[in-house]
């Protein structure tokens, strides 16, 4: 009995030392493949390698991550989950409910994440009280980007209302400039749509319609006006917009072919990667109206076998939330750190506006989760809304018909 106990104790010691000695491995599934995104994820790859880790990259191209999520499902269903996955919002909870996520509470507790993350962000990272994801940033979605020279040449200021936006766009169109650089992919239509919902309806309306899915809000006159504005915006995009990637739309603004893009601040990552300067080459302003739509990127670890993989998950989680990484990564990515204790001295004016507006909106209740970027709703509900938004944008469907379809699609999505 004593011998057995001894043997058990010594094999436990061996086990413990293997996991300490194990060389950290991580296969990382993500969708960061554009210029600015690739530069950002490289920061993590380099830090991981510098700390003795071996990174196996699994990039799945496609802005917004739809293709990446399809690839993830296939991998998990075949019993071969990647070690770490770019995953966010309610999708984290959905995977947790499938019983396939690893618990990273030991790292979170050792590193004191609760003390350095805003409660609203920490809440997305926890599954029934345990930590199940690590946040890298806060992206703001409700931005307009503009080519500074194009606006100046046409005597146009950054619009502060949707009417001003429409007037500016008409003037630009008359001058032969494409007013709005847009990529006709469902998630990009949804991105523009949610900024219009926030802008025309206000924060309360946004919450009722796109967070609480209140049928009255979905079929309201305000929502009719939102679809009217989407139809107006459709008239401001060029005829080749279908299927275009978001970063190619950003490039159109960069090279002066188009004046504006409505897109989250990962677009800023593209401008910066191309050597463009905010305030000089390009301008940023929040889309018209109050409020702030947040989109927090994070990584979840999947339940995998092997000390090396588990060591990789722990190392990754630790690096991701560490202050140094949060600074360097976000300087490249266009977002701001998720941690509240990282100084913004090195960040540009757009990032500073984002941080200030985030603080104000958090105080006055207008800090809201982006539905288009998977922060507000579960996949089925978000997908139902996006289908209608895209169908409307790509047809001559009336706004009345769109709101009816919207309410029906949501009702049938549960
Ligand atoms: C978002 C993601 C961002 C960004 C964008 C385009 O959903 O949160 O990090 O990269 O997609 O791919």
């Amino acid at each position: 009995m004593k011998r057995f106990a001894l043997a058990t104790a010594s094999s436990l010691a061996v086990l413990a030392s293997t996991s300490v000695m194990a060389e950290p491995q991580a296969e990382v599934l993500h969708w960061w493949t554009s210029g600015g995104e690739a530069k950002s994820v490289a920061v993590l790859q380099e830090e991981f390698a510098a700390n003795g880790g071996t990174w196996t990259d699994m990039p799945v191209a496609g802005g917004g991550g739809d293709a990446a999520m399809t690839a993830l499902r296939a991998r998990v269903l075949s019993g071969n989950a990647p070690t770490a996955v770019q995953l966010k919002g309610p999708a984290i909870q959905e995977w947790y409910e499938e019983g396939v996520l690893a618990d990273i509470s030991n790292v979170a507790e050792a590193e004191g994440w609760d003390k350095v993350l805003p409660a609203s962000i920490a809440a997305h990272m926890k599954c029934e009280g345990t930590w199940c994801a690590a946040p890298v940033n806060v992206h703001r979605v409700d931005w307009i980007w503009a080519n500074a020279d194009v606006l100046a040449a046409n005597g146009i200021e950054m619009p502060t209302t949707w009417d001003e936006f429409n007037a500016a766009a008409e003037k630009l169109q008359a001058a032969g400039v494409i007013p709005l650089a847009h990529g006709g992919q469902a998630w990009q239509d949804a991105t523009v749509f949610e900024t219009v919902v926030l802008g025309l309806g206000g924060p309360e309306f946004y919450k009722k319609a796109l967070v609480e899915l209140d049928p009255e809000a979905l079929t309201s006159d305000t929502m009719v006006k939102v679809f009217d504005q989407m139809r107006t915006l459709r008239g401001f995009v060029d005829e080749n917009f279908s299927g275009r990637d978001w970063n190619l739309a950003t490039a159109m603004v960069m090279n002066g072919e188009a004046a504006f893009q409505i897109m989250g601040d990962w677009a800023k990552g593209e401008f910066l990667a191309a050597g463009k300067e905010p305030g000089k080459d390009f301008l940023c302003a929040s889309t018209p109206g109050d409020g702030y739509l947040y989109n927090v990127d994070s990584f979840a670890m999947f339940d995998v076998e092997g000390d090396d993989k588990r060591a990789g998950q722990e190392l990754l989680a630790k690096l991701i939330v560490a202050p140094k990484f949060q600074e360097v990564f976000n300087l490249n990515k266009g977002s701001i750190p998720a941690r509240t204790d990282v100084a913004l001295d090195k960040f540009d004016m757009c990032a500073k506006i984002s941080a200030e507006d985030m603080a104000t909106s958090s105080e006055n209740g207008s800090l809201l989760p982006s539905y288009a970027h998977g922060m507000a709703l579960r996949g089925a509900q978000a997908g139902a809304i996006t289908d209608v938004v895209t169908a409307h944008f790509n047809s001559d469907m009336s706004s009345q018909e769109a709101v009816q379809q919207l309410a029906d699609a949501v009702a049938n999505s549960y």
Side-chain angles (χ1 to χ4, degrees):
M1 185 64 196
K2 204 172 168 197
R3 255 219 203 132
F4 173 73
L6 266 178
T8 311
S10 68
S11 46
L12 275 179
V14 170
L15 253 185
S17 72
T18 351
S19 88
V20 171
M21 300 294 292
E23 282 187 16
Q25 298 272 344
E27 187 197 6
V28 187
L29 192 159
H30 63 88
W31 65 89
W32 287 333
T33 56
S34 76
E37 289 175 331
K39 239 181 131 180
S40 312
V41 76
V43 175
L44 189 54
Q45 293 171 343
E46 282 155 21
E47 276 211 30
F48 193 65
N51 284 277
T54 305
W55 175 292
T56 307
D57 205 28
M58 194 189 169
V60 181
D66 293 337
M69 292 301 101
T70 305
L72 172 63
R73 187 150 288 281
R75 287 285 301 266
V76 177
L77 283 179
S78 67
N80 177 28
T83 28
V85 177
Q86 185 189 350
L87 198 65
K88 52 187 179 164
I92 300 170
Q93 313 297 325
E94 292 185 85
W95 281 109
Y96 173 79
E97 286 159 17
E98 307 261 336
V100 291
L101 293 193
D103 184 352
I104 53 172
S105 302
N106 56 340
V107 180
E109 278 154 24
E111 299 290 311
W113 289 1
D114 251 333
K115 287 185 226 98
V116 294
L117 296 175
S120 50
I121 294 184
H124 283 292
M125 308 298 139
K126 288 184 186 173
C127 298
E128 291 186 316
T130 65
W131 290 85
C132 49
V136 290
N137 63 4
V138 181
H139 269 305
R140 183 182 197 170
V141 179
D142 49 319
W143 283 113
I144 303 187
W145 307 93
N147 180 303
D149 289 343
V150 169
L151 293 205
N154 290 280
I156 288 168
E157 305 258 318
M158 262 322 226
T160 58
T161 64
W162 285 102
D163 284 344
E164 274 177 34
F165 182 91
N166 296 343
E170 277 165 22
K171 195 169 172 191
L172 288 158
Q173 208 156 35
V177 179
I178 298 166
L180 184 61
H182 182 65
Q185 295 175 346
W187 72 273
Q188 294 186 61
D189 300 338
T191 300
V192 173
F193 172 77
E194 71 177 6
T195 71
V196 177
V197 171
L198 179 68
L200 290 183
E204 266 313 305
F205 178 77
Y206 178 95
K207 195 165 160 198
K208 279 216 171 76
L210 297 182
V211 181
E212 294 164 4
L213 302 178
D214 171 35
E216 267 178 43
L218 293 175
T219 52
S220 62
D221 290 347
T222 305
M223 196 57 93
V224 171
K225 291 202 183 88
V226 168
F227 279 105
D228 289 347
Q229 177 63 21
M230 289 301 286
R231 179 64 67 237
T232 303
L233 292 176
R234 174 69 176 77
F236 297 146
V237 309
D238 66 307
E239 58 183 21
N240 297 320
F241 79 106
S242 281
R244 175 187 290 139
D245 287 331
W246 66 273
N247 52 320
L248 300 181
T250 310
M252 289 168 69
V253 176
M254 263 187 239
N255 65 29
E257 202 183 329
F260 298 114
Q261 182 182 21
I262 296 170
M263 186 50 65
D265 43 23
W266 44 94
K268 193 183 76 186
E270 294 304 298
F271 284 109
L272 298 180
K276 305 289 181 194
E277 269 182 53
K280 181 171 159 271
D281 303 312
F282 69 96
L283 307 176
C284 61
S286 54
T287 48
D290 296 330
Y292 183 114
L293 298 181
Y294 70 84
N295 169 23
V296 174
D297 283 311
S298 48
F299 281 87
M301 309 301 160
F302 277 66
D303 216 355
V304 288
E305 301 275 317
D307 288 342
D308 50 353
K309 291 182 179 169
R310 276 198 287 271
Q313 293 178 325
E314 290 190 7
L315 177 58
L316 253 187
K318 189 175 152 187
L319 292 176
I320 282 172
V321 185
K324 181 77 199 134
F325 169 75
Q326 293 252 325
E327 181 185 74
V328 182
F329 174 87
N330 286 301
L331 281 168
N332 286 297
K333 188 71 171 68
S335 36
I336 56 174
R339 286 178 81 106
T340 49
D341 61 346
V342 176
L344 293 181
D345 306 356
K346 293 190 189 141
F347 285 76
D348 59 38
M349 51 181 275
C350 309
K352 285 180 182 139
I353 295 174
S354 176
E356 255 169 51
D357 288 358
M358 186 178 162
T360 320
S361 61
S362 167
E363 269 161 35
N364 70 20
S366 62
L367 178 62
L368 295 158
S370 158
Y371 117 78
H373 291 275
M375 298 306 297
L377 302 171
R378 290 185 166 239
Q381 282 71 50
I385 296 174
T386 301
D387 286 349
V388 176
V389 169
T390 289
H392 169 268
F393 200 70
N394 290 290
S395 69
D396 57 3
M397 189 192 296
S398 72
S399 301
Q400 293 290 350
E401 171 70 18
V403 298
Q404 205 41 61
Q405 283 204 16
L406 192 63
D408 292 349
V410 167
N412 293 331
S413 69
Y414 292 97

